Amino acid sequence: LDKKTLVVTRDGSDRVVDYTGVVIEGYGSTFEEETPQDRDGDRVLPGAFTATLAQFKTNPVMLVNHANDVHQIAGSFSKVGTDRIGLAITGNVSDAPDMQSVRFKIVEGHLKSLSMGGMFFWDENDWFAIERVDLWEISLIAIPANPDALFQLRSITVEDVKAQMRYLAK
């Protein structure tokens, strides 16, 4: 099954039983131009991820609420990089049974924010300017420090639908 295609499973009464193949896109963090300060007064400087992003990509884990526990792994990120806005991500939410509630909340639009976890290094002359982030994880979270660290369901394109139809026709 193409992980880019959202699958809705229904029971005999047409009630949604589960969603699988949930893919999100958005920002794990934004730079100071987009978010001059977060709820803690901090701001992330452009280039903050440059030195450590390659290391994060070796284990691009998506957690729930920064809980560093195997049972709280919500999925992983298939794309992580920076653009002019910030830390751009594409993530695949796990189809595991224990993540069903998380998938429902994402698809229904109730859960839509992210928060980064790791080690933060502030500018020695400006204790609110984060100049380097050793990124360890990005979490699905109800209320992030950065109000602009948001995601949405990945849009399904015509190409995605065609690929899914070819897969099902096999």
Side-chain angles (χ1 to χ4, degrees), residues 6-165:
L6 177 68
V7 176
V8 180
T9 306
R10 298 180 183 276
D11 66 10
S13 70
D14 210 32
R15 185 178 64 97
V16 174
V17 178
D18 203 355
Y19 298 97
T20 55
V22 175
V23 178
I24 61 172
E25 290 181 322
Y27 288 90
S29 180
T30 54
F31 295 133
E32 66 179 341
E33 185 150 321
E34 183 74 16
T35 310
Q37 76 178 49
D38 66 15
R39 291 181 172 108
D40 297 325
D42 294 329
R43 63 188 187 285
V44 179
L45 302 178
F49 301 99
T50 303
T52 63
L53 200 52
Q55 179 62 35
F56 175 72
K57 289 179 180 181
T58 65
N59 184 32
V61 68
M62 177 191 305
L63 297 178
V64 175
N65 295 321
H66 298 296
N68 186 12
D69 180 283
V70 170
H71 301 289
Q72 296 302 312
I73 296 174
S76 61
F77 295 95
S78 56
K79 293 181 184 174
V80 182
T82 57
D83 62 16
R84 66 175 184 74
I85 295 172
L87 183 64
I89 60 88
T90 299
N92 301 302
V93 180
S94 173
D95 290 340
D98 62 336
M99 287 295 125
Q100 182 183 37
S101 174
V102 170
R103 291 190 299 274
F104 265 79
K105 290 171 188 161
I106 290 170
V107 173
E108 292 173 348
H110 306 298
L111 177 56
K112 52 189 167 188
S113 55
L114 297 166
S115 179
M116 62 178 174
M119 190 69 108
F120 305 98
F121 299 88
W122 285 266
D123 182 306
E124 64 183 39
N125 298 313
D126 182 348
W127 287 99
F128 293 101
I130 299 171
E131 64 181 3
R132 191 176 111 213
V133 177
D134 287 351
L135 189 63
W136 297 343
E137 53 89 9
I138 302 171
S139 282
L140 300 169
I141 196 160
I143 302 172
N146 180 336
D148 298 316
L150 301 172
F151 67 84
Q152 59 190 9
L153 276 174
R154 181 184 183 276
S155 299
I156 298 174
T157 66
V158 171
E159 289 76 25
D160 293 333
V161 173
K162 287 179 181 177
Q164 181 67 14
M165 292 177 78

